[in-house]
Amino acid sequence: MATELSEDIKFAADKMLGKLARWLRIIGQDVTYGSELSGYGLTRAARREGRLILTRDRAIARKNPPPYLLIASDRFREQLKQVIEACRLDPLKNAFTRCVECNTLFEPIAKKAVEGKVPPYVFDTQEKFSFCRKCRRIYWPATHQQKMLEELKGLEFS
Ligand SMILES: [Zn+2]
């Protein structure tokens, strides 16, 4: 694969890499992922949208694929580390800017706009809220984000 990769790299994850896809979204990366994304469905989607394929399927080389990264490990921490290092991503720079469920970038939403739409204790204790236009979900920093950050820091990038 190319050594010079731009900031706006996009990924198409093989359907067997669901956990990796979610973690890449957590760190803000644009990742398509779905049950149709394997074999030729994956290579077609990647070519159409100019995405780097992430797969563990060694047979992909026979499918005349667009650029791909063969994922070595079956453990998601190793997988995430491989992608971050191979593509020189900064895992903390854009963390929590994208919806893990649907890949849409969050939009900021004013606190007064979420009153009555989030639990009262959340409204009382949080100041910053984000919104996924596609899922219609409201997000806010919470303890699970802290755990995710600790997980990312625990990967110990070289
Ligand atoms: Zn969403």
Side-chain angles (χ1 to χ4, degrees):
M1 57 178 276
T3 52
E4 285 297 314
L5 288 164
S6 62
E7 277 280 294
D8 57 354
I9 186 169
K10 300 184 291 183
F11 300 97
D14 198 314
K15 70 172 183 182
M16 69 180 97
L17 295 172
K19 193 161 187 186
L20 175 63
R22 291 176 69 87
W23 271 91
L24 285 170
R25 287 175 180 171
I26 287 169
I27 65 169
Q29 298 301 312
D30 183 340
V31 186
T32 56
Y33 165 76
S35 56
E36 76 285 6
L37 293 182
S38 69
Y40 286 107
L42 182 64
T43 56
R44 263 197 308 273
R47 188 173 284 119
R48 187 174 62 232
E49 298 175 13
R51 293 174 179 273
L52 177 68
I53 293 175
L54 304 174
T55 185
R56 298 205 67 225
D57 179 11
R58 295 182 178 280
I60 191 169
R62 295 201 296 268
K63 297 185 174 97
N64 185 29
Y68 65 92
L69 179 61
L70 198 59
I71 300 297
S73 176
D74 60 0
R75 294 191 304 258
F76 90 89
R77 285 184 188 83
E78 292 298 312
Q79 294 172 344
L80 185 61
K81 197 170 168 179
Q82 183 188 353
V83 176
I84 287 171
E85 290 180 352
C87 301
R88 302 197 190 110
L89 306 175
D90 180 346
L92 302 178
K93 186 179 165 201
N94 294 314
F96 312 119
T97 57
R98 187 178 293 275
C99 181
V100 172
E101 302 301 328
C102 76
N103 200 44
T104 302
L105 279 172
F106 288 148
E107 296 170 30
I109 187 169
K111 177 165 175 158
K112 62 181 184 316
V114 305
E115 189 167 16
K117 294 175 183 162
V118 298
Y121 76 92
V122 170
F123 188 80
D124 290 343
T125 55
Q126 301 292 321
E127 294 303 321
K128 282 188 148 185
F129 295 89
S130 303
F131 176 64
C132 175
R133 184 168 293 281
K134 192 169 169 194
C135 296
R136 317 298 294 177
R137 283 179 218 211
I138 296 161
Y139 292 82
W140 56 89
T143 50
H144 69 272
Q145 280 197 3
Q146 195 54 44
K147 290 193 185 109
M148 288 172 182
L149 280 175
E150 281 160 21
E151 178 91 54
L152 289 171
K153 286 172 184 159
L155 290 173
E156 293 175 358
F157 299 100
S158 53

